[in-house]
């Protein structure tokens, strides 16, 4: 554990600081603390590193008075903080993350600190919005700002040369605090909130008497009268607790147009206003907590009882069972104890509804932290967490585990099974769910993991008693679980009852939903128009020049794209091998599905949600808002549509080509397929009547589909557990995946072979590979992969041996040029 922070005021050079540098270099580095300098663990200090004049803002890790006799310590140049900006529990978390995920403390520091707090000689500076502010007595600052105002972009190193200072960081930090200077990346990430339009009654138009007058006036304008009637219904404006009415939802529900609504605005009945997405209307006051159902109250009582014996509790609640209300009640009780709550979500962009619900209940006590925020906003929240005005509730994606908490009492990990909690690039390749449990342990806080389809590891920990376990197996309001129907694609093709990629059964159910003015979600886990073009004569398939992968055709941009490196190419007009012009398209992606649906249902409003349509800053929010407000009838999407969406009017869900989900070459393929299908099925029928789910597949008798139809999570767990036990996979073993990369295939193959030989004396058959991955070349680098299985009882010692062996093999000059990516607990 990190010792409590101690201030050293020195009379001689006999105190040394171990500092963490924001570099991918192992270990910490020792620097001497000059006479009279006040330093504490968690503060940032400026230190030189390397042979050049490179300066870095390092974080002090420890202080001591012993320097090895054979070493010389360079001096700390300056201190950037008056008080620590990294707390002891955070430093302990950094250490554990570095050890477990086999990465450096510097890599953890880079991931943890907002960029504005990570200053190096290479940091690029630009003039800020308050550059004209009076800077009396700061001649050097004025000189620097004059240079920046001329449009220059300077690095910190160049700023030091310009000012004639060995250490320009204190001057730069002071200007940043004053708003006169910004980091270059801050300008690129400037955050503008998404606004939503709402409709309300104009002043003086509320009340029964006034509304009855309007009903009489609009008797000869039936379209406007219909809008008013629907507004009264949606807003509940004659009750004690009226609701807000989004403009798009009013138009959809009334079957009207924006022009009709605007006519009522001009007549003085309505007024239009906008508000930031996710922010409740302060005029409506705080939302009263709903009364929990009997099943919810029982589950809540069981969670509290489980917390008396366990630090971590797994809540398995079926989709639409009301898990969020349980979380909210626990959050309220935690806040009453003056403790903080961390609420983790797999993807913050998909959770506007939850954030709005929490803010409606707790107001400005709720803070949001995610990667789409501007850097200065992330820094401001970090510093706010360190102050007295710290937020009571932080809602965030995986990076929120790095924030400084002072009184953490509860951690909620919603949709704990979601693969998005795993960081893939760059290091540290951590799993936020697991690190949230470590963080909570450092604060002696409780952890609640929630999911309708928990991960195998969490289920196993609950079954073996390591975690507490609570189940909530009825939907809120006693709504029945969706009816799931399997449709045989081979039989439909044989009967010639296919409409493009849609069976007659699916087309009928979609039409019925549209006739009832209900909504439909169509899930296809491939984006683009078609995955493959192929020559009919010789079988040639276009491939990326830099990756060994076929190119996907995107019709909207009319280009072939590589989904690994991002390069794009013009579509071929003839075969590059035999020059035949006969090229055909194979397979289908979301773009093609969207096109086919438009042909089958020309009156329907269709939207697509995948990586191509959600690249813009507010594109994803816009799609979800439009769907939630009824402005979209059919939503086509990849696995984005499986992540916790809660919409009232979705009655039908379609899963296309389910076979592809189950045939992926990965030991988690069946677990993932079950989770994806169960989650997307759970988007239907969440309010009144049971929804309908249509699964199209060729192997309709596959055991996984049987389990999905029966909503059998326990059956899925038992089936997979036996396979994992027999073959030595999690939760019985830990995995470390080693990926080697180099432009020379011969060199990467030789290094991978040497590494495998060095590991086998200890691990034997637990070393799998080296193998050539399915995609064997990415960005012009050849890949080889090793998978090492570690016994859970000895994985700490095994990782030490693994680390030492890697250092020894890659210390050889013949292997040092090969890049190694280490991924502990790969997903």
């Amino acid at each position: 554990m990190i010792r409590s922070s101690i201030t050293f005021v020195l009379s001689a050079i006999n105190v040394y600081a171990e500092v963490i540098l924001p570099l991918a270099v192992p270990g910490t580095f020792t620097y001497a603390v000059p006479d009279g300098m006040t330093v504490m663990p968690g503060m940032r200090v400026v230190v030189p590193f390397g042979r050049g004049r490179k300066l870095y803002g390092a974080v002090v890790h420890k202080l001591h008075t012993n320097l090895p006799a054979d070493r010389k310590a360079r001096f700390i140049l300056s201190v950037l903080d008056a008080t620590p900006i990294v707390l002891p529990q955070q430093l302990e978390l950094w250490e554990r993350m570095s050890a477990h995920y086999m990465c450096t403390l510097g890599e953890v520091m880079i991931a943890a600190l907002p960029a504005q707090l990570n200053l190096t000689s290479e940091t690029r500076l630009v003039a800020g919005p308050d550059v004209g502010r009076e800077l009396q007595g700061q001649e050097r600052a004025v000189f620097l700002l004059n240079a920046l105002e001329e449009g220059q972009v300077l690095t910190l190193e160049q700023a030091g040369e310009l000012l004639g200072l060995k250490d320009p960081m204190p001057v730069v930090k002071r200007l940043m605090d004053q708003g006169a200077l910004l980091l270059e990346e801050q300008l690129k990430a400037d955050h503008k909130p998404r606004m939503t339009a709402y409709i309300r009654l104009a002043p003086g138009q509320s009340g029964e008497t006034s509304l009855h007058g309007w009903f009489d006036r609009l008797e000869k304008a039936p379209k406007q009268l219909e809008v008013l009637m629907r507004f009264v219904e949606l807003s509940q404006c004659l009750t004690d607790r009226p609701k807000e009415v989004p403009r798009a939802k009013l138009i959809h529900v009334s079957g009207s147009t924006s022009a009709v609504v605007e006519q009522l605005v001009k007549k003085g009945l309505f007024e239009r206003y906008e508000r930031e997405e996710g922010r409740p209307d302060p005029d409506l006051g705080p939302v009263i907590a709903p009364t929990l159902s009997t099943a919810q109250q029982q589950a809540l009582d069981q969670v509290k009882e489980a917390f008396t014996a366990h630090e971590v509790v797994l809540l398995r609640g079926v989709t639409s069972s009301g898990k969020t209300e349980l979380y909210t009640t626990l959050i309220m009780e935690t806040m009453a104890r003056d403790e903080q709550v961390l609420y983790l979500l797999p993807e913050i962009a998909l959770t506007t509804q939850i954030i709005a619900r929490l803010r409606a209940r707790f107001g400005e006590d709720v803070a949001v932290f995610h990667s789409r925020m501007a850097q200065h906003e992330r820094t401001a929240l970090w510093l706010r967490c360190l102050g007295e005005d710290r937020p009571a509730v932080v809602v965030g994606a995986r990076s929120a585990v790095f924030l400084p908490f002072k009184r953490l009492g509860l951690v909620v990990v919603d949709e704990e099974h979601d693969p998005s909690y795993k960081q893939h690039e760059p290091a540290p390749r951590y799993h936020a769910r697991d690190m949230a449990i470590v963080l909570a342990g450092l604060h002696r806080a409780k952890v609640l993991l929630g999911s309708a389809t928990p991960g195998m590891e969490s289920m196993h920990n609950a079954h073996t008693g390591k975690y507490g376990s609570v189940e909530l197996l009825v939907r809120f309001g006693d709504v029945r679980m969706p009816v799931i129907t399997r449709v045989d694609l081979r039989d439909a093709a044989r009967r010639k009852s296919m409409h493009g990629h849609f069976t007659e059964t699916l087309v009928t159910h979609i039409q019925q939903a549209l006739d009832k003015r209900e909504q439909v979600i169509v899930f296809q886990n491939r984006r683009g128009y078609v995955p493959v073009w192929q020559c009919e004569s010789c079988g040639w398939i276009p491939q990326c020049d830099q990756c060994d992968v076929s190119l996907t055709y995107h019709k909207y941009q009319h280009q072939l794209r590589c989904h690994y490196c991002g390069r794009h190419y013009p579509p071929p007009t003839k075969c590059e091998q035999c020059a035949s012009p006969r090229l055909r398209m194979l397979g289908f992606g979301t773009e093609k599905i969207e096109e086919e649906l438009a042909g089958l249902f020309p009156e329907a409003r269709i939207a697509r949600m995948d990586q191509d349509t959600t690249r813009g800053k507010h594109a994803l929010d816009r799609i979800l808002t439009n769907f939630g407000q009824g402005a979209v009838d059919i939503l086509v999407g990849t696995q984005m549509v499986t992540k916790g969406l809660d919409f009232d009017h979705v009655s039908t869900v379609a899963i296309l080509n389910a076979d592809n989900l189950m045939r992926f070459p990965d030991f988690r393929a069946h677990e993932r397929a079950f989770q994806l299908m169960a989650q997307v099925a759970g988007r239907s029928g969440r309010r009144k009547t049971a929804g309908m789910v249509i699964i199209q597949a060729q192997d309709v008798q596959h055991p996984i589909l049987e389990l999905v139809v029966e909503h059998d999570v326990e059956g899925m767990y038992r089936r997979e557990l036996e396979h994992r036990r027999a073959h030595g996979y999690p939760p019985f073993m830990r995995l470390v995946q080693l990926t080697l990369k180099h432009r020379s295939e011969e060199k990467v193959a030789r290094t991978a072979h040497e590494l495998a030989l060095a590991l086998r004396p200890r691990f034997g058959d637990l070393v799998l590979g080296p193998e050539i991955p399915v995609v064997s070349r990415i960005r012009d680098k050849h890949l080889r992969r090793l998978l090492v299985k570690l016994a859970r009882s000895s994985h700490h010692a095994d990782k030490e041996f693994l680390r030492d062996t890697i250092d020894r093999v890659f210390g050889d000059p013949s292997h040092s040029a090969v890049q190694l990516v280490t991924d502990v607990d790969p997903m």
Side-chain angles (χ1 to χ4, degrees):
M1 296 293 288
I2 303 297
R3 296 179 181 176
S4 59
S5 300
I6 302 173
T7 301
F8 287 82
V9 181
L10 303 166
S11 58
I13 303 173
N14 58 359
V15 173
Y16 302 94
E18 297 294 325
V19 305
I20 305 170
L21 289 166
L23 297 169
V25 290
T28 57
F29 296 84
T30 306
Y31 287 84
V33 181
D35 182 22
M37 181 178 285
T38 301
V39 178
M40 299 169 65
M43 285 182 171
R44 288 174 305 155
V45 294
V46 181
V47 297
F49 184 74
R51 295 182 179 178
R53 297 181 57 188
K54 301 290 185 185
L55 300 179
Y56 293 89
V59 171
V60 177
H61 186 231
K62 295 177 182 177
L63 296 167
H64 59 84
T65 57
N66 300 315
L67 183 71
D70 59 339
R71 294 177 63 183
K72 290 185 179 181
R74 299 165 81 174
F75 286 99
I76 292 175
L77 300 180
S78 61
V79 181
L80 292 176
D81 306 303
T83 58
I85 66 160
V86 182
L87 300 179
Q89 294 92 341
Q90 289 176 281
L91 290 172
E92 177 73 11
L93 178 68
W94 292 10
E95 280 190 329
R96 294 199 186 184
M97 189 176 287
S98 170
H100 180 70
Y101 291 105
M102 300 178 66
C103 62
T104 68
L105 275 170
E107 289 172 316
V108 179
M109 175 184 169
I110 294 169
L113 287 181
Q116 195 171 358
L117 299 178
N118 251 332
L119 299 177
T120 75
S121 292
E122 300 305 313
T123 300
R124 294 167 65 85
L125 310 172
V126 295
D130 294 333
V131 70
R133 180 179 294 180
E134 192 67 33
L135 297 169
Q136 294 182 355
Q138 300 185 46
E139 290 80 7
R140 281 197 171 102
V142 172
F143 184 55
L144 175 60
L145 291 174
N146 286 339
L148 292 172
E149 276 193 289
E150 295 174 1
Q152 293 188 41
V153 178
L154 301 176
T155 65
L156 257 176
E157 186 174 12
Q158 291 167 336
E161 294 173 355
L162 189 67
L163 299 176
L165 292 176
K166 183 178 181 181
D167 176 17
M169 285 192 184
V171 175
V172 168
K173 180 181 179 294
R174 186 163 58 249
L175 291 173
M176 289 171 61
D177 292 342
Q178 294 172 347
L181 187 149
L182 293 175
L183 305 187
E184 185 182 31
E185 55 264 31
Q186 286 179 241
L187 294 183
K188 298 177 184 176
D190 195 20
H191 178 63
K192 292 182 180 179
R194 167 144 171 83
M195 307 300 289
T196 300
Y198 292 85
I199 295 293
R200 63 188 172 199
L201 292 173
Q205 305 305 320
S206 58
E208 288 190 42
T209 302
S210 177
L211 287 174
H212 277 304
W214 278 103
F215 280 124
D216 293 338
R217 290 172 58 184
L218 297 175
E219 189 173 355
K220 295 183 179 180
K223 292 184 178 179
Q224 295 179 28
L225 182 60
E226 176 69 14
V227 171
L228 176 56
M229 292 173 64
R230 297 288 80 79
F231 174 84
V232 172
E233 178 184 310
L234 292 171
S235 67
Q236 300 180 18
C237 57
L238 298 177
T239 67
D240 293 335
R241 295 200 60 82
K243 297 181 178 180
E244 288 190 293
V245 179
R247 180 173 176 270
K249 187 170 186 177
L250 177 60
I251 292 170
H252 171 67
V253 172
S254 63
S256 186
T257 64
S258 59
V260 176
V261 174
E262 289 304 314
Q263 287 172 354
L264 292 174
V265 172
K266 290 178 181 178
K267 288 183 176 182
L269 172 60
F270 291 152
E271 71 175 9
R272 186 178 185 272
Y273 67 102
E274 291 186 341
R275 200 183 65 256
E276 180 183 343
E277 186 68 35
R279 293 271 182 186
D281 186 349
D283 295 334
L284 297 179
V287 172
I288 299 174
T291 302
L292 297 180
S293 67
T294 302
Q296 285 176 315
Q297 188 60 54
Q298 289 176 348
L300 179 62
D301 293 339
Q302 291 171 7
V303 167
K304 292 178 182 178
E305 183 180 352
F307 274 146
T308 62
H310 299 88
E311 300 303 310
V312 183
V313 173
L314 175 64
L315 171 63
R316 181 166 74 85
V318 297
T319 54
S320 194
S321 60
K323 295 186 291 295
T324 304
E325 285 306 324
L326 266 68
Y327 303 155
T328 307
T329 304
L330 288 170
I331 289 170
M332 185 168 55
E333 295 175 358
T334 305
M335 290 173 62
R337 299 192 297 268
D338 193 29
E339 295 177 336
Q340 292 176 286
V341 178
L342 171 59
Y343 192 137
L344 284 180
L345 297 161
E347 290 188 28
I348 205 74
L350 296 172
T351 52
T352 303
Q353 295 166 317
I354 292 177
I355 293 169
R357 192 182 304 181
L358 291 173
R359 279 183 166 158
R361 185 81 62 86
F362 305 118
E364 293 306 310
D365 285 328
V366 178
V368 180
F369 189 82
H370 57 88
S371 59
R372 295 193 179 193
M373 294 168 62
Q375 287 294 345
H376 64 88
E377 291 180 311
R378 302 179 77 187
T379 302
L381 180 56
W382 183 287
L383 298 178
R384 181 186 169 194
C385 288
L386 292 168
E388 294 302 317
D389 184 33
R390 56 181 178 269
V393 182
V394 175
V395 183
R398 58 177 180 258
S399 59
V401 299
F402 292 117
L403 283 169
F405 295 95
K406 288 190 172 181
R407 289 182 55 83
L408 188 63
L410 174 68
V411 177
V412 176
V413 184
D414 199 10
E415 307 295 350
E416 66 86 32
H417 69 279
D418 199 294
S420 297
Y421 281 122
K422 173 71 174 180
Q423 163 82 2
H424 294 288
E425 289 292 342
R429 295 171 179 85
Y430 65 99
H431 198 297
R433 176 197 61 203
D434 299 342
M435 289 301 101
I437 293 172
V438 173
L439 174 69
L442 295 173
H443 287 268
R444 298 182 180 177
K446 302 296 184 181
V447 180
L448 182 60
L449 308 177
S451 176
T453 54
M456 287 291 297
E457 289 87 342
S458 297
M459 288 278 285
H460 186 65
N461 287 333
H463 277 267
T464 56
K466 183 177 180 180
Y467 295 169
S469 180
V470 177
E471 294 181 340
L472 180 56
L473 302 182
V474 294
R475 284 183 150 191
F476 186 77
D478 293 325
V479 176
R480 291 187 294 117
M481 294 292 288
V483 177
I484 301 178
T485 301
R486 289 166 287 179
V487 181
D488 192 331
L489 285 170
R490 287 179 293 192
D491 181 65
R494 189 165 51 249
R495 294 173 181 271
K496 298 183 179 179
S497 62
M498 295 292 294
H499 301 268
H501 292 90
F502 295 82
T503 60
E504 184 69 40
T505 302
L506 179 52
V507 170
T508 300
H509 279 93
I510 292 177
Q511 187 61 62
Q512 289 174 352
L514 296 176
D515 292 342
K516 297 176 185 176
R517 300 180 74 175
E518 296 170 340
Q519 291 174 300
V520 178
I521 291 177
V522 178
F523 171 54
Q524 165 62 9
N525 209 29
R526 284 181 182 272
R527 62 188 173 104
Y529 189 77
V530 292
V532 175
W533 278 31
Q534 187 179 51
C535 173
E536 291 186 0
S537 299
C538 70
W540 169 81
I541 294 174
Q543 287 198 319
C544 178
D545 293 338
Q546 292 193 342
C547 310
D548 284 339
V549 64
S550 59
L551 298 170
T552 300
Y553 176 59
H554 291 252
K555 186 175 182 180
Y556 183 76
Q557 293 87 3
H558 190 54
Q559 59 185 211
L560 295 175
R561 281 193 197 168
C562 174
H563 287 176
Y564 283 83
C565 72
R567 287 169 63 91
H568 52 83
Y569 305 81
T573 57
K574 60 182 180 180
C575 175
E576 289 188 7
Q577 285 189 351
C578 68
S580 169
R582 298 179 60 189
L583 300 175
R584 62 178 176 176
M585 299 180 182
L586 301 177
F588 59 99
T590 51
E591 196 176 347
K592 186 173 179 62
I593 292 303
E594 181 186 27
E595 181 181 273
E596 289 187 2
L597 284 168
L600 291 169
F601 309 102
E603 301 299 320
R605 295 163 298 179
I606 303 169
R608 174 163 50 95
M609 190 166 77
D610 54 28
Q611 285 188 28
D612 299 316
T613 61
T614 58
R615 294 186 190 279
K617 186 171 295 183
H618 296 304
L620 181 55
D621 290 339
R622 191 176 300 113
I623 293 169
L624 293 178
T625 299
N626 290 340
F627 191 65
Q629 295 178 356
V632 171
D633 300 312
I634 304 176
L635 180 63
V636 182
T638 55
Q639 56 185 290
M640 287 183 176
V641 301
T642 72
K643 297 178 185 288
L645 302 182
D646 184 13
F647 296 115
D648 294 354
H649 303 294
V650 175
S651 66
T652 303
V653 166
I655 299 173
L656 307 181
N657 204 4
D659 306 272
N660 282 350
L661 298 173
M662 299 178 290
R663 293 172 180 168
F664 198 76
D666 183 84
F667 77 93
R668 296 186 191 273
H670 287 175
E671 177 189 6
R672 290 274 170 74
F674 177 86
Q675 290 170 341
L676 280 170
M677 287 188 279
Q679 288 287 340
V680 73
R683 302 311 109 203
S684 67
R686 296 174 68 88
R687 288 298 176 268
K688 296 178 182 178
T689 58
M692 172 61 69
V693 180
I694 308 296
I695 300 178
Q696 294 188 162
Q698 295 187 358
D699 185 6
V700 291
Q701 301 303 321
H702 195 288
I704 297 301
L705 292 184
E706 294 279 355
L707 294 167
V708 172
V709 169
E710 298 297 326
H711 309 284
D712 191 358
V713 175
E714 285 291 338
M716 174 66 197
Y717 168 73
R718 291 192 298 270
R719 180 181 187 276
E720 282 299 293
L721 195 69
E722 291 309 310
H723 291 305
R724 304 278 182 92
R725 193 197 311 273
H727 299 289
Y729 284 100
F732 302 102
M733 304 287 282
R734 282 197 178 276
L735 302 181
V736 179
Q737 182 175 277
L738 305 173
T739 303
L740 294 84
K741 304 178 181 181
H742 197 271
R743 291 185 180 276
S744 166
E745 185 174 12
E746 181 183 354
K747 180 169 284 191
V748 74
R750 184 169 62 250
T751 301
H753 178 70
E754 289 296 324
L755 182 57
L757 286 179
L759 292 173
R760 284 208 166 89
R762 181 181 180 105
F763 298 110
D765 293 340
L766 297 181
V767 177
L768 305 183
E771 65 174 9
I772 302 174
V774 176
V775 180
S776 61
R777 184 171 59 101
I778 297 177
R779 293 184 175 89
D780 216 21
K781 290 185 178 180
H782 296 273
L783 275 58
R784 291 295 184 273
R785 187 163 288 160
L786 290 152
L787 189 68
V788 185
K789 298 181 179 180
L790 310 181
R792 299 189 76 88
S793 59
S794 61
H795 71 95
H796 293 296
D798 287 343
K799 276 191 286 191
E800 286 295 328
F801 175 82
L802 186 57
R803 186 179 291 107
D804 292 342
T805 304
I806 289 171
D807 291 343
R808 177 162 46 85
V809 171
F810 284 85
D812 186 331
S814 63
H815 302 303
S816 60
V818 176
Q819 180 185 353
L820 175 68
V821 174
T822 303
D823 190 359
V824 179
D825 301 332
M827 295 292 287

